[in-house]
Amino acid sequence: MDEWIDYYDSTHTIYASKLHRDLHFQIIARDIIGYIASPDAVVLDYACGEALSAARVADACAQLYLAEPAPGVRGRLIARFAPNTKIRVRSLEDLTRMAENSVDLVVMNSVAQYMTPDELDSAFAVVRRLLKAGGRLVLGDILRPEVGMARDVLALLKFARSHGFLKDALYGLASTALSDYRQLRTRVGLQRYGEDEMMEKLAAAGFAASRAHLNIGHNPWRMTFVARHAFQRN
């Protein structure tokens, strides 16, 4: 995961335009809010990235923790949300020192693909310790082995066309083909899981899980899972 952390901590061009970036975070925030069961909930966004719309999520809960491994991104989060008393920024290491059974909802969206299987198992162990008895883990944007990059491109183009930045998206795709992102993706790769494989992985980590009907975000060919402590019913 370290090379991906370094990439996202750099000046990258993963978004086709400012509109694309802003819409991405707005939609993620909307979908996270849909999983918040109560305004009293404590929510953790694990490896949250820039989280530009986190204030909307914070408005829907009692406390929002933004956990981010990239130090530069984390610094920007601290500066951006310093006035908001409902948002606290943490490193992933900080999570190991948080109180057990203290979080109602953990969201890990578009994270698992950047982790090795062992790193993801370790993250699941941290999350399981933090979740309250009735808490939920929402694991979003899981890449499937049988779905290749072409579907990601198609999902982006459909998203761009419906929101008015198709030209920027086409230009962005051409730029990405020659970018550090494409080189890193080719060299390091992205981790993919079949539905049954992820269910088994969550079960081995002590969770009972089911696949959600809709994925978080704009890509319908990726998967989202909702998990609870295994001793509870979904």
Side-chain angles (χ1 to χ4, degrees), residues 157-195:
L157 293 177
K158 286 185 174 181
F159 181 58
R161 184 177 62 185
S162 63
H163 290 86
F165 64 96
L166 182 58
K167 184 183 293 186
D168 288 335
L170 291 168
Y171 177 79
L173 287 169
S175 299
T176 298
L178 304 173
S179 71
D180 293 342
Y181 174 85
R182 181 60 183 270
Q183 295 174 25
L184 186 58
R185 180 165 175 166
T186 300
R187 180 165 52 84
V188 177
L190 297 174
Q191 193 66 40
R192 298 171 182 271
Y193 296 93
E195 181 174 347

Side-chain angles (χ1 to χ4, degrees), residues 38-93:
S38 164
D40 297 323
V42 176
V43 177
L44 166 63
D45 190 346
Y46 187 107
C48 61
E50 295 287 350
L52 296 179
S53 295
R56 290 180 55 195
V57 179
D59 286 342
C61 65
Q63 186 78 61
L64 174 62
Y65 289 98
L66 299 176
E68 171 53 41
V73 176
R74 195 164 60 245
R76 291 193 291 274
L77 291 169
I78 291 170
R80 185 179 302 129
F81 296 116
N84 194 324
T85 58
K86 295 176 72 174
I87 297 178
R88 293 290 180 266
V89 179
R90 298 288 185 265
S91 68
L92 298 190
E93 184 180 350

